[in-house]
Amino acid sequence: MCMQVNLPFGCRIKVWDMEKEVCLVTLAGHLDTVYAVACSPSNTHLFVSASEDGCAKLWDVRQKSEVRSIYATNLHGVGLRSLAWQPGGNGRIAIGDARGRIVLTEIGDCSSDVISDCDVHSDAVNRLTFSPHQPSWLASASNDGTVVVTDMLDNIAVYSSSRHKDLVRGLVWSPTDQSLLRSCGLDAQLLCHSLAGTVEESGPASMETDGTEQKTS
């Protein structure tokens, strides 16, 4: 069975059987818009969710209900916007909030603990993704227009780019080159980032070659 967790732009979460194209269950538990979900890399029945209500929750599809809340912001009105489950099956999850903070929490059998936190952005963290090659490297994209790669072992930013001119919404690591990361934003740009530097790929609006911006047709 191929499962997909879907967000219908509300407080509820839908889990689908993609082979049969049927909704298996609709889950309720959040009090505001759910912005992100992340499936466990080691257990196909588990996933986590992040909501504007400020809570991140752990779910088990077999139980058809939430297992428990794994994190909650301590500031009123600060919602959660993004999630990423660290590779390796260690139960560690990165969570990004609406003010630019990222926390790394570890899920235990009965509790969850915050391991570290960092403030690398000045606005909402829209997307988080761990490197499949360097599991401690966490890439983040924000409303502040920046892309940052943080080594979560030491809480040190190893790379930062502010070349986007608008909100950054998408991030993906190269499956073959551990130093390459791609991002896209509302500025209609697709950027290719290297930890040794950043080059820009052709996108729907423009491309940059040798420092000179050229409009595409």
Side-chain angles (χ1 to χ4, degrees):
M1 179 179 67
C2 178
M3 247 184 5
Q4 178 174 323
V5 182
N6 173 256
L7 304 178
F9 300 102
C11 304
R12 298 176 183 272
I13 302 168
K14 291 183 178 292
V15 181
W16 294 80
D17 183 332
M18 298 305 296
E19 293 177 349
K20 297 180 180 180
E21 298 183 350
V22 295
C23 179
L24 299 177
V25 62
T26 299
L27 302 170
H30 283 292
L31 303 177
D32 209 331
T33 303
V34 181
Y35 277 104
V37 292
C39 296
S40 168
S42 58
N43 188 327
T44 57
H45 301 291
L46 299 179
F47 70 92
V48 290
S49 60
S51 169
E52 187 65 16
D53 63 12
C55 291
K57 295 179 180 293
L58 174 68
W59 305 80
D60 189 324
V61 176
R62 295 165 297 186
Q63 298 179 14
K64 298 184 179 181
S65 64
E66 69 173 274
V67 177
R68 64 177 182 272
S69 177
I70 62 170
Y71 176 76
T73 57
N74 55 9
L75 294 177
H76 177 71
V78 177
L80 304 181
R81 299 296 179 86
S82 51
L83 288 166
W85 208 306
Q86 189 176 38
N90 54 18
R92 293 183 177 182
I93 298 166
I95 304 168
D97 70 21
R99 58 176 179 161
R101 186 186 189 211
I102 299 171
V103 300
L104 183 65
T105 183
E106 185 169 21
I107 300 176
D109 292 335
C110 300
S111 63
S112 305
D113 300 308
V114 174
I115 300 173
S116 63
D117 64 84
C118 55
D119 294 287
V120 296
H121 295 287
S122 60
D123 207 336
V125 183
N126 292 320
R127 189 63 58 89
L128 294 169
T129 178
F130 280 100
S131 167
H133 314 286
Q134 298 283 347
S136 66
W137 284 358
L138 176 68
S140 54
S142 171
N143 276 357
D144 63 13
T146 63
V147 174
V148 179
V149 178
T150 305
D151 188 335
M152 298 304 290
L153 286 178
D154 304 313
N155 264 7
I156 297 174
V158 297
Y159 174 84
S160 180
S161 171
S162 57
R163 298 185 65 187
H164 279 288
K165 306 305 180 185
D166 207 335
L167 315 183
V168 189
R169 291 294 178 86
L171 278 177
V172 62
W173 287 94
S174 167
T176 57
D177 189 331
Q178 65 180 4
S179 68
L180 291 182
L181 174 72
R182 288 175 171 82
S183 64
C184 61
L186 296 190
D187 56 0
Q189 291 191 93
L190 171 66
L191 302 184
C192 182
H193 308 269
S194 169
L195 295 193
T198 306
V199 295
E200 202 168 290
E201 291 190 341
S202 59
S206 65
M207 66 180 179
E208 186 171 302
T209 305
D210 297 328
T212 303
E213 186 177 50
Q214 302 177 348
K215 297 297 180 181
T216 59
S217 56

